[in-house]
Amino acid sequence: MFSIVTPVYNTDPDLLAEMVDSVVHQTERSWELLLVDDRSPSEATRAALGRLAPTDPRIRSIRREVNGRISEATNTGVAAASGEFVLLLDHDDTLVPHALARIAAELTAHPETDYLYTDEDKIAEDGSALGEFRKPDWSPSRLLGQMYTSHASVVRRSVFERVGLLRSGFDGSQDHDLVLRVVEVAREVRHVPEVLYRWRAVAGSTAIDVRAKDYAWDAGVRAVQDALDRRGLHATAGHGGLPGTYRLDWSQQDIGPVSVVVTIDGVQTTGGPLTDGTTSGVVDAVRSIIDAAAGVELEFVVVHGQETPRAELDALEALGRPVVRVLADPRGAASAARNLGSAHASFPTLVFLDDTVRARSDAFLHDLVGPLSRSGVGATGAHSIDAEDRIRDAGFRYALTPYRRPYTGRALDDAGEGNALYVDREVSAVASNALAISAATFRAVGGFNEDLSGDAADLDLGRKLTSTGLQSVWLAYARVQDLRSTLPADPSDAELGILLARWGDTADDPFIG
Amino acid sequence: MHDRVLCGDPRSEAKDRRLTHPQDGAPIDTVQNLRIELLRVTDELLGARAELSISRRTVDDRDQQILTERAEHERDLRELRAAYESSTTWRVGRRIVTPVEIVRRGIAR
C-alpha cells in the first residue's frame, strides 16, 4: 500500500480539491492519503480539508498543534503512515490516473527497490502544459548537481524512517537532502520513464523559477556538502551556474601523481589543422595543464609522429616537468597512440589529452581527476568547447542507428534539457580529447580498441566500463577548449559493425534521450 | 628527455625474441610492449564476452518469441475450435447437429 503524504498550508481550496481528486481517481486502489494541516491560518483551507476528508475513508486529515514548516509537517504525516511506500505529493500538484498502478507494477517487478522516481511535467495555474522533464536513469553524479529526481518519488517507509526522516535545517531543499541520504542505503534505485506527476507552477513555486526560493538553493548547497562529508569526499559544494544547480570544487582533494598522455594531432586520423594554422600545439597544451594543476606531481607522455616539428618537442624541455617522448607507429590511429602512451606512463592516474586542447578552468586537473575517487566512477570527461566558444563535447549518447552527437554546436550558455549542461552527470561515454581514468581501470578494460577511432573508440571504452560496473561522468565545470577546426567523423560502417556486434543497439540512451 | 623504445618501430634494438606479436611477429620485448599486448588481449576478451552476451540475449529473445507465438497460435486454435463447435450447425434429416457431433456420433447426412 502507498501512503501519500501531503503537507497543507493555506492552500487554495480549488487546487487542494484537484490534488485530492487525482488521488481518489487512481486506478490502483491500495493507498491512504494523509493531509497534514500545518496550522493553516486560512479558514478557507481548513474548511476545504473538513469537506474533503470525509469523502473517502482512505483520506485522513491531521492538524498539527504548531506550525512546523514543510519538514516537520511531512514527518508528522510519515509518522502516521501505515503503507509500505511513502509518496510525497505537494498540496497543489496532481498525479495522473495510472500513476500508482504503474509504480506498483515496477515495484512488483523489482522487489528490492527502495527508491523510485518518475518523469514529470509542469503545468501553469490554469492547467496548461509548460513542458515535460524526461529524466535520465539513475545518475548519482547528477543528484549531487541538482535535485533531478524530484516528483514523483516513492521511498520505502522503513528506509525513510531509517535515514531519520526529513531535516528541518534543510527546508527548501529538504527533499534533496532526504534523497541524498536515502540513496546511500537503498538496495536499488529505479526510474520509471513516464510522466506520472504534474507539478503546478504557481507564483513563488520552484517549478517556475528556482530563484523564487533563494533560501532553497542555499539549503541545497548545504545538503550536497553534507552528503560529500558523509561519503568522505574532499570536495566543496557551491552554487552552480544556474539556480537549483550545484558545482563541486575538488581543489582540496589530494589526487596523487598524474600521467598526462598527450597525443599530437599529426599522428591522429581524426584531426585537422588547428585554427591558428599550425599542426601541433603540444607545448601550449602541456603549459595549460601545468598552470591548472597546482601542487600536483605530473608526468607528460608525449606521443608524437615523425612529422611533429622538432622545435616543438625540444621546447617541452623548458617547461621543467618530466616528459617522456614516444614515437608513434605511423600506421597507428589515435587509439593506438593513446594505448602506446599509457604503456609508457608510470603514475596511477592517466589523463588523455589531445595537443589541440587547452585547459580553461581553474584547478582543471583537480576537477577532472577528483571525481574518480567516487565509488563507481570509471572515467571522467571534460566540458569541451570549440574555437568559436560553442559546445564540442558534453558526453556521448549510445544509440547507433542513427548515430548523432548530442549537444555539439550548441551555444555555451545553452542549459540543455533539465539544465543538463550545468551539472555533472553520468553519460554513456566521454570524449577522449580530455579524459581521466585510473591506470588500473584502463588496463582492466583493455584500453582503447585499436580497430576503432574517434567517437567509436570512445563509445567502446564507455561500454567496456559499463560492462565492468563502472560509469563515465561528464563534468560541467572542468572546461577545456579544443582548437581543432573539424569534428571527428561519424563512425564508419566497419566501426559501427564492431560496436553493434559487441554491444548491440538501443533506441534510447539511459542518460540522454 | 628521451625517446623510449618504440613499439613496432623497425629501429627497435630489441634482442629478446621469445615473445612475439601474433600478427606481425614483432618482438614483445619491453614492459611497455607487454602492456600494449595485454591491452589488446584484454580488449579482445571483453569484446568477445560482450558478443557472447549479445548472442545469448538474442537466443533468449528468440526462444521467448517462439514461446509467445506458440501460445498465441494455441489460443487462436482454441478460439477457432470453440467458435466452430458452438456456432456451426447442420440439418441432418430432422435433427440439427454440429459438425463435431456428426463426426463423433457417426451421424450420416
Side-chain angles (χ1 to χ4, degrees):
Chain A
M1 183 176 77
F2 294 99
S3 293
I4 302 167
V5 176
T6 303
V8 175
Y9 185 78
N10 282 358
T11 312
D12 179 302
D14 290 340
L15 297 182
L16 190 61
E18 205 175 319
M19 180 274 290
V20 171
D21 196 53
S22 81
V23 175
V24 170
H25 288 96
Q26 286 295 303
T27 56
E28 164 67 46
R29 308 293 297 162
S30 181
W31 54 263
E32 63 177 352
L33 173 61
L34 298 136
L35 300 169
V36 183
D37 178 16
D38 196 19
R39 208 72 193 171
S40 295
S42 163
E43 283 186 21
T45 300
R46 294 203 303 273
L49 284 169
R51 283 195 306 274
L52 290 165
T55 60
D56 191 300
R58 294 167 293 182
I59 302 175
R60 292 161 65 191
S61 179
I62 303 166
R63 182 163 169 80
R64 283 176 50 84
E65 293 301 315
V66 291
N67 175 271
R69 303 185 68 182
I70 183 80
S71 294
E72 290 299 321
T74 303
N75 289 344
T76 298
V78 174
S82 57
E84 188 178 1
F85 288 93
V86 174
L87 186 150
L88 302 181
L89 175 60
D90 282 359
H91 59 175
D92 48 7
D93 297 344
T94 57
L95 296 171
V96 303
H98 66 286
L100 294 183
R102 178 68 184 86
I103 292 169
E106 190 76 6
L107 294 171
T108 301
H110 302 278
E112 297 219 316
T113 303
D114 287 330
Y115 177 67
L116 177 151
Y117 62 96
T118 76
D119 294 348
E120 68 195 42
D121 66 5
K122 292 176 184 173
I123 53 175
E125 288 191 66
D126 62 2
S128 59
L130 292 176
E132 295 180 350
F133 180 20
R134 295 286 182 176
K135 300 170 186 174
D137 284 351
W138 173 222
S139 182
S141 297
R142 188 159 182 170
L143 190 66
L144 288 168
Q146 68 180 153
M147 175 42 176
Y148 84 91
T149 59
S150 198
H151 303 299
S153 283
V154 169
V155 186
R156 190 180 292 276
R157 185 161 60 92
S158 59
V159 172
F160 203 130
E161 291 166 349
R162 181 177 155 198
V163 301
L165 305 177
L166 293 177
R167 301 193 291 183
S168 56
F170 296 90
D171 270 351
S173 286
Q174 74 288 339
D175 50 352
H176 195 183
D177 171 59
L178 171 75
V179 175
L180 284 165
R181 287 180 287 130
V182 163
V183 298
E184 289 167 10
V185 300
R187 292 167 301 167
E188 186 171 353
V189 176
R190 292 208 62 83
H191 167 222
V192 174
E194 285 181 40
V195 173
L196 301 180
Y197 192 97
R198 299 225 155 86
W199 189 4
R200 191 181 302 274
V202 296
S205 162
T206 50
I208 291 181
D209 183 356
V210 182
R211 252 177 294 224
K213 293 183 177 177
D214 270 348
Y215 78 93
W217 198 8
D218 294 340
V221 171
R222 293 200 306 278
V224 173
Q225 186 62 57
D226 206 48
L228 295 170
D229 294 343
R230 277 195 309 277
R231 300 172 193 183
L233 298 169
H234 297 118
T236 306
H239 295 98
L242 287 175
T245 64
Y246 309 99
R247 77 176 279 184
L248 307 186
D249 172 0
W250 292 89
S251 59
Q252 300 307 309
Q253 166 88 356
D254 177 9
I255 60 173
V258 176
S259 293
V260 183
V261 177
V262 188
T263 47
I264 291 186
D265 202 49
V267 301
Q268 295 184 19
T269 57
T270 54
L274 302 189
T275 48
D276 63 5
T278 62
T279 55
S280 169
V282 63
V283 177
D284 288 343
V286 168
R287 189 182 289 123
S288 82
I289 294 296
I290 292 172
D291 290 346
V296 181
E297 186 179 357
L298 292 172
E299 165 194 67
F300 291 93
V301 180
V302 178
V303 187
H304 64 94
Q306 296 280 14
E307 68 277 33
T308 303
R310 179 58 51 181
E312 286 261 357
L313 297 176
D314 291 343
L316 289 170
E317 286 181 8
L319 296 175
R321 298 294 179 116
V323 177
V324 177
R325 287 184 353 203
V326 184
L327 184 62
D329 183 337
R331 296 165 298 181
S335 302
R338 293 191 179 106
N339 285 349
L340 176 62
S342 80
H344 289 263
S346 26
F347 291 151
T349 301
L350 303 175
V351 167
F352 291 99
L353 192 81
D354 288 354
D355 73 315
T356 52
V357 167
R358 309 286 180 269
R360 290 288 189 245
S361 56
D362 297 336
F364 166 75
L365 207 64
H366 281 88
D367 284 342
L368 184 70
V369 173
L372 292 177
S373 61
R374 287 187 40 227
S375 168
V377 177
T380 58
H383 181 159
S384 177
I385 60 175
D386 66 16
E388 295 174 22
D389 285 343
R390 294 169 308 197
I391 292 172
R392 179 183 167 93
D393 290 301
F396 288 114
R397 169 178 179 267
Y398 190 90
L400 304 178
T401 46
Y403 175 76
R404 68 175 171 83
R405 269 178 155 257
Y407 304 119
T408 298
R410 290 199 193 184
L412 189 53
D413 59 358
D414 190 326
E417 292 71 21
N419 293 342
L421 295 171
Y422 278 79
V423 290
D424 299 348
R425 56 197 164 76
E426 276 70 19
V427 289
S428 284
V430 286
S432 53
N433 65 344
L435 178 153
I437 187 170
S438 85
T441 299
F442 188 72
R443 286 167 191 150
V445 298
F448 291 99
N449 181 307
E450 298 189 6
D451 292 328
L452 302 172
S453 62
D455 293 2
D458 298 346
L459 285 167
D460 181 73
L461 180 69
R463 298 303 280 195
K464 285 194 289 188
L465 289 169
T466 305
S467 75
T468 57
L470 296 170
Q471 297 291 345
S472 301
V473 176
W474 176 79
L475 302 167
Y477 300 99
R479 295 197 172 182
V480 296
Q481 189 165 32
D482 193 319
L483 300 176
R484 259 175 291 206
S485 56
T486 57
L487 288 172
D490 283 353
S492 66
D493 288 345
E495 289 178 322
L496 283 174
I498 292 173
L499 291 173
L500 288 168
R502 282 185 164 194
W503 313 111
D505 200 5
T506 175
D508 295 311
D509 183 273
F511 302 114
I512 302 173
Chain B
M1 190 165 65
H2 60 282
D3 281 342
R4 283 190 176 167
V5 174
L6 311 172
C7 177
D9 189 295
R11 294 177 301 170
S12 171
E13 295 178 0
K15 302 295 181 192
D16 184 348
R17 296 183 181 275
R18 283 174 300 178
L19 285 173
T20 57
H21 193 282
Q23 286 169 341
D24 59 12
I28 301 171
D29 49 15
T30 64
V31 169
Q32 287 79 20
N33 284 356
L34 195 59
R35 281 181 181 166
I36 291 169
E37 188 58 15
L38 275 172
L39 285 180
R40 191 187 63 74
V41 171
T42 308
D43 173 75
E44 277 188 12
L45 178 67
L46 263 65
R49 272 190 199 153
E51 287 189 31
L52 181 64
S53 169
I54 288 271
S55 301
R56 282 187 178 143
R57 214 179 307 154
T58 305
V59 169
D60 288 348
D61 286 349
R62 288 191 179 157
D63 282 350
Q64 187 58 46
Q65 199 177 345
I66 289 168
L67 286 174
T68 304
E69 284 177 6
R70 184 178 292 164
E72 283 173 0
H73 178 67
E74 286 171 356
R75 193 190 62 223
D76 288 348
L77 213 56
R78 278 197 304 275
E79 286 174 3
L80 275 172
R81 183 172 179 164
Y84 180 69
E85 289 180 356
S86 63
S87 66
T88 306
T89 56
W90 296 74
R91 178 184 293 276
V92 180
R94 299 172 62 87
R95 300 174 61 185
I96 305 294
V97 292
T98 67
V100 174
E101 288 172 319
I102 292 172
V103 174
R104 285 189 183 153
R105 300 183 189 177
I107 299 171
R109 280 205 267 176

